[in-house]
C-alpha cells in the first residue's frame, strides 16, 4: 500500500478515534464493566498515541491495546461500505467508507 494512501487512512482513523459518538461501539463484555469503566476507556482511546510497527505495521492507526483499571482493552477500526453490508472498496475515501471503532476485551476478539 502506498504511503500517501496509508497516511490518508491514518488521518481519517485519527479523526474517528478523537471524536466519540457515531461509529463507536462497545462489546457486551466491555459494557458490562460499567459506565465509569467505559468512560475511562473512551478517554484513553481518544488520547492514544502509542503506535508502533508491531501493532501498526501499515501505518493506518487502526488498532490499539491499553490497560484500564488493571484490565487489558483493545480498540480497533474496521472499514465498511456505506450500507455496512460489506467491506469498503477504498478505506482512504470517506465517500465510500463508514468507519466503525470497537472497544473490546481481548477474550472477545
Amino acid at each position: 500500500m502506498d504511503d500517501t494512501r496509508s497516511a490518508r487512512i491514518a488521518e481519517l482513523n485519527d479523526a474517528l478515534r478523537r471524536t466519540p459518538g457515531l461509529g463507536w461501539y462497545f462489546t457486551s463484555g466491555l459494557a458490562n464493566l460499567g459506565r465509569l469503566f467505559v468512560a475511562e476507556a473512551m478517554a484513553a482511546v481518544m488520547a492514544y498515541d502509542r503506535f508502533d510497527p508491531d501493532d501498526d505495521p501499515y501505518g493506518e492507526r487502526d488498532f490499539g491495546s491499553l490497560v484500564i483499571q488493571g484490565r487489558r482493552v483493545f480498540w480497533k477500526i474496521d472499514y465498511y461500505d456505506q450500507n455496512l453490508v460489506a467491506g469498503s472498496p477504498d478505506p482512504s475515501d470517506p465517500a465510500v467508507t463508514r468507519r466503525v471503532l470497537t472497544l473490546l476485551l481481548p477474550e472477545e476478539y
Side-chain angles (χ1 to χ4, degrees), residues 7-99:
R8 177 65 178 145
I9 292 170
E11 177 184 311
L12 293 165
N13 287 346
D14 284 347
L16 174 64
R17 187 174 42 78
R18 292 180 181 141
T19 311
L22 187 62
W24 278 56
Y25 296 89
F26 315 98
T27 60
S28 59
L30 189 110
N32 286 338
L33 295 174
R35 286 181 155 185
L36 292 176
F37 187 92
V38 170
E40 190 173 336
M42 289 175 65
V45 169
M46 290 171 57
Y48 192 89
D49 66 357
R50 295 182 309 270
F51 297 99
D52 63 51
D54 289 334
D55 288 341
D56 189 29
Y58 302 107
E60 296 178 359
R61 297 184 224 147
D62 60 357
F63 175 84
S65 175
L66 39 89
V67 176
I68 306 296
Q69 299 178 14
R71 301 242 6 206
R72 175 78 45 200
V73 173
F74 290 164
W75 63 267
K76 62 191 269 320
I77 296 174
D78 293 301
Y79 316 113
Y80 294 95
D81 65 11
Q82 287 294 329
N83 296 317
L84 297 172
V85 173
S88 170
D90 181 2
S92 69
D93 183 356
V96 298
T97 304
R98 287 188 58 187
R99 285 175 158 63

